[in-house]
Amino acid sequence: QAQLVESGGGAVQAGGSLRLSCVASVDTGNFCMGWFRQAPGKEREAVATITSSGSRTYYSDSVKGRFTISRDDVKRTLYLQMLSLEPEDTAMYYCAADSVPCMVEPISEGLNYATWGQGTQVTVSS
């Protein structure tokens, strides 16, 4: 069973940036992967996801143009670069992975991911 460990969260002011990392305990070469977030009182939502090859990405409308997802399978690491952070980005951010490859389209439905990290908190103040 793969394990995922997120890091990089923290407290920043609006307009700031953070880079989240998610390190996997197993080879991620064929994994479908993504970042999700959940704010207090809100449902979990997909933030950014990436195909197994890294060739295609999905972004939610709220982060498009500000966040960038990338992966380095040699390092078994998934990244989320977050720029121009807004108070609305405040949430617990989770890394997710699934061993079933997604080669054509990135998967934004959380139910398709079998493995989740513990989360890293991002807090953006105005």
Side-chain angles (χ1 to χ4, degrees):
Q1 179 75 13
Q3 291 185 328
L4 305 174
V5 179
E6 303 99 332
S7 63
V12 297
Q13 291 189 328
S17 62
L18 287 171
R19 188 194 196 200
L20 305 184
S21 298
C22 169
V23 180
S25 61
V26 298
D27 184 359
T28 57
N30 288 322
F31 280 28
C32 197
M33 301 189 78
W35 288 97
F36 292 74
R37 69 185 181 188
Q38 187 166 21
K42 294 188 177 181
E43 292 187 355
R44 183 181 64 194
E45 63 171 340
V47 176
T49 62
I50 190 166
T51 54
S52 300
S53 67
S55 61
R56 301 195 70 173
T57 56
Y58 159 85
Y59 295 97
S60 68
D61 288 342
S62 61
V63 307
K64 200 172 295 182
R66 300 187 297 121
F67 291 10
T68 303
I69 187 172
S70 62
R71 60 191 295 162
D72 184 338
D73 293 319
V74 173
K75 296 182 179 180
R76 302 177 177 179
T77 303
L78 182 72
Y79 300 100
L80 185 66
Q81 179 69 56
M82 305 186 294
L83 304 177
S84 302
L85 283 161
E86 302 169 352
E88 293 74 20
D89 295 317
T90 295
M92 185 71 80
Y93 284 70
Y94 298 93
C95 173
D98 198 271
S99 59
V100 176
C102 54
M103 304 303 292
V104 178
E105 295 288 345
I107 304 297
S108 60
E109 173 53 62
L111 293 176
N112 289 95
Y113 291 88
T115 303
W116 294 79
Q118 294 297 310
T120 185
Q121 177 68 37
V122 172
T123 303
V124 185
S125 59
S126 58

